[in-house]
Amino acid sequence: GLSGSINLAGGVVDDLVTNRHTASVEKNSGPQRIYSPAGTPAQQFAQFGWIGQNVALPDGKTLWTVPAGARLTPQTPVTLSWNNAAGLTFTLTYAIDADYMLTVSQAVSNTGAAPVAVQPFALINRTDKTMSTDIWNLHSGPFGAFDGKVQFEPNYKDVAEKVQIVPEGKADWVGFTDIYWMSTLIPDRGDASASYRAMGGGIYRADLLYPVVSIAPGKAWTRQTRLFAGAKESKVLDAYEATGIKNFSLAIDWGWFRWFEKPILLLLKSLFSAVGNFGVAIMLLTLIVRGIMYPVAQRQFASMAAMKAIQPKMKAIQDRYKDDKAKQQEEIMALYKREGVNPLAGCL
């Protein structure tokens, strides 16, 4: 699902494009770019690291090492390493699947003589200059799921005004969304807190912060975070949700009518698989829906015809009782009953 590279300066993922989707409907538009390095017009990247007191830690400028010839594929993870020359060895192991998910293992090995306390973090950094449309029913910007509830908020301007926004609850996943693409961090358990930050100059961050961990001498510690970066394909999101990511399929904002929309989408995809052409699939979907609704439509047409047929009699009643609205309404209701007409029959 993805092609790209990991930047050894900082160990960041800052170069990703989708293999299944082009940047536009034009066939020669090239692949859709999800991540770009810092300082580029489409800046967006993910970084994993640690914070702590009185200990040398890797940062965004650290040059990590990797085995010669290492190549990240669904079959071959890649491990980056860095030693702080004070008894701590840090590693970042990246694994990737066939779709849009990377699994990042942050590990620390303590060969020193004293325990060390560190706090792991993960972040997504991006510009708002490449954001898609953000309107009342279609959110583009920071979003996530907290304590099992998906939040399509705040907007970039909200974060810019407040500088930092901390959502309530533990993070199930957090990141940024556009109409068709999204980038999210998924912790391996429910003890992570999240925040959104405005860094200035149209740059924003979604931060995932884990509890402080103490690593005793001679011990090692590992923490995993999943990183989704790619297209919001409903089938793919459903599959990830089935692996335990809470409400991940709702990263697509289906609105109030998802109980109706999702089956329709499934039917449309099935038709497309059968005929291989979306135009034909849409026409077939229209015919199927019209066929299902035919009895209702026929009842509506019959009701409309009946109402039209009794219009002269209704007009006569209205003229006769124009000064007595109560009597007029009573006579009209009696007319409906005699003629077997239900004025509400066409509403559905």
Side-chain angles (χ1 to χ4, degrees):
L2 295 169
S3 295
S5 62
I6 298 172
N7 193 339
L8 294 182
V12 299
V13 184
D14 63 0
D15 171 30
L16 286 179
V17 298
T18 62
N19 297 331
R20 294 201 288 260
H21 302 282
T22 56
S24 73
V25 294
E26 301 297 331
K27 291 184 178 180
N28 62 351
S29 62
Q32 171 64 32
R33 176 159 291 280
I34 303 297
Y35 281 179
S36 293
T40 60
Q43 172 174 324
Q44 186 171 192
F45 60 84
Q47 180 181 353
F48 302 83
W50 299 262
I51 56 177
Q53 298 291 328
N54 303 317
V55 57
L57 297 171
D59 58 24
K61 298 180 180 179
T62 298
L63 188 61
W64 294 74
T65 60
V66 66
R71 185 169 180 265
L72 179 59
T73 73
Q75 294 75 38
T76 56
V78 168
T79 298
L80 285 60
S81 61
W82 180 76
N83 189 290
N84 73 348
L88 294 180
T89 299
F90 298 85
T91 61
L92 294 173
T93 299
Y94 288 94
I96 193 169
D97 67 9
D99 290 306
Y100 306 114
M101 191 74 76
L102 288 87
T103 300
V104 186
S105 300
Q106 297 171 250
V108 184
S109 177
N110 184 5
T111 59
V116 176
V118 293
Q119 187 170 20
F121 71 82
L123 64 84
I124 297 171
N125 177 304
R126 72 160 290 167
T127 176
D128 66 354
K129 295 179 176 62
T130 54
M131 68 176 288
S132 57
T133 301
D134 182 28
I135 55 179
W136 69 273
N137 65 338
L138 193 61
H139 176 70
S140 292
F143 83 141
F146 306 92
D147 291 342
K149 182 179 179 181
V150 181
Q151 298 180 12
F152 287 92
E153 58 182 4
N155 295 322
Y156 287 114
K157 65 179 181 179
D158 299 326
V159 183
E161 290 173 358
K162 296 183 179 180
V163 181
Q164 180 181 11
I165 293 178
V166 179
E168 293 184 4
K170 295 300 183 181
D172 300 315
W173 43 271
V174 64
F176 298 98
T177 185
D178 291 298
I179 295 176
Y180 303 113
W181 329 105
M182 72 175 186
S183 177
T184 57
L185 296 163
I186 303 107
D188 59 352
R189 49 187 181 269
D191 59 353
S193 58
S195 65
Y196 307 111
R197 296 174 184 267
M199 311 304 292
I203 301 298
Y204 297 84
R205 260 181 26 199
D207 295 333
L208 195 63
L209 192 62
Y210 292 113
V212 175
V213 60
S214 180
I215 307 167
K219 299 295 183 179
W221 168 94
T222 302
R223 182 81 195 233
Q224 283 191 345
T225 305
R226 282 187 281 182
L227 169 67
F228 178 99
K232 296 164 69 172
E233 299 174 14
S234 61
K235 184 178 180 180
V236 171
L237 298 183
D238 288 343
Y240 286 135
E241 184 173 308
T243 68
I245 305 176
K246 294 181 180 178
N247 291 328
F248 207 52
S249 64
L250 300 186
I252 297 174
D253 189 2
W254 298 93
W256 293 346
F257 297 101
R258 72 173 183 267
W259 58 270
F260 176 74
E261 294 167 350
K262 294 192 77 171
I264 289 291
L265 178 61
L266 179 61
L267 176 57
L268 179 60
K269 286 184 174 181
S270 299
L271 292 170
F272 172 68
S273 297
V275 301
N277 183 292
F278 255 118
V280 175
I282 290 171
M283 287 189 285
L284 290 174
L285 176 65
T286 303
L287 291 173
I288 291 171
V289 172
R290 288 299 295 252
I292 294 172
M293 297 299 293
Y294 181 78
V296 177
Q298 281 298 98
R299 190 170 183 180
Q300 180 184 25
F301 295 147
S303 175
M304 291 171 61
M307 286 293 293
K308 185 176 181 180
I310 66 170
Q311 283 301 311
K313 296 180 180 179
M314 287 185 62
K315 183 67 167 57
I317 292 172
Q318 290 167 350
D319 290 341
R320 179 179 300 178
Y321 301 105
K322 61 182 178 181
D323 296 325
D324 189 345
K325 297 298 182 183
K327 183 63 175 177
Q328 181 186 111
Q329 188 63 29
E330 180 183 339
E331 290 296 322
I332 289 175
M333 295 304 294
L335 174 63
Y336 288 154
K337 187 175 182 179
R338 287 195 305 273
E339 299 292 337
V341 174
N342 182 359
L344 301 179
C347 292
L348 180 59

